Amino acid sequence: MPMSSSDHTVFIPGSFDPLHLGHVDVIGQAVDLFGRVVVGVLYNRAKSGGLFTPDERRALAEATVADAGIDEVRVMTFDGLAIDGAVEAGADFIVKGLRTAADFEIEQQMAHTNHSVSGMRTVFVPCDPARAFISSRFIREISAQGGRVDHMVGPRVARALSDRFSAPNRP
Ligand code: PNS
């Protein structure tokens, strides 16, 4: 695996509810390509919701990235715009993983919008095709019904999902 000759900090924003192996692939590629990655877990102060709290998502993301042996990653929570999170993280630009053409459609619009309002650029990284089918939403849905998702997430997330959905008063 070629190591990065670059000295950039990049920001990868998302909901990460929960972070899965597709995210791990994109984070690993970004470290190799650019140097340092800050993962930004978006939360909305005015709105609760989601399966895991923002702090739980951050802790699970940190554990998953560490278990994957990826260094040079910091995880933070942020509220508001991705461009503000990127500035707070000290990032040079935003990185987004692309799974499909449908991802590209929406991400292209966001990239141009973010650049138009802030000057912050976005770089797209193609997700490993073997992991491009993975989605946090489907992971939540399948786990909630007792299905198997451990091939799509890291071990800490698999355990957290199983704890969450086997609890007596599960959501
Ligand atoms: O993991 P997700 O939910 O697909 O991530 C989407 C996310 C959080 C990256 C995107 O919704 C986003 O950037 N939200 C922050 C609000 C924002 O910056 N809006 C302006 C977009 S042009």
Side-chain angles (χ1 to χ4, degrees), residues 117-139:
V117 296
S118 70
M120 178 71 68
R121 293 285 188 190
T122 298
V123 171
F124 298 139
V125 169
C127 184
D128 174 357
R131 300 184 181 189
F133 67 94
I134 304 176
S135 107
S136 297
R137 181 182 142 211
F138 296 147
I139 288 167

Side-chain angles (χ1 to χ4, degrees), residues 19 55 57-67 73-76:
L19 185 130
D55 280 340
R57 295 179 211 176
R58 182 180 44 70
L60 288 170
E62 281 169 351
T64 302
V65 168
D67 285 346
V73 180
R74 184 163 75 81
V75 186
M76 63 180 248

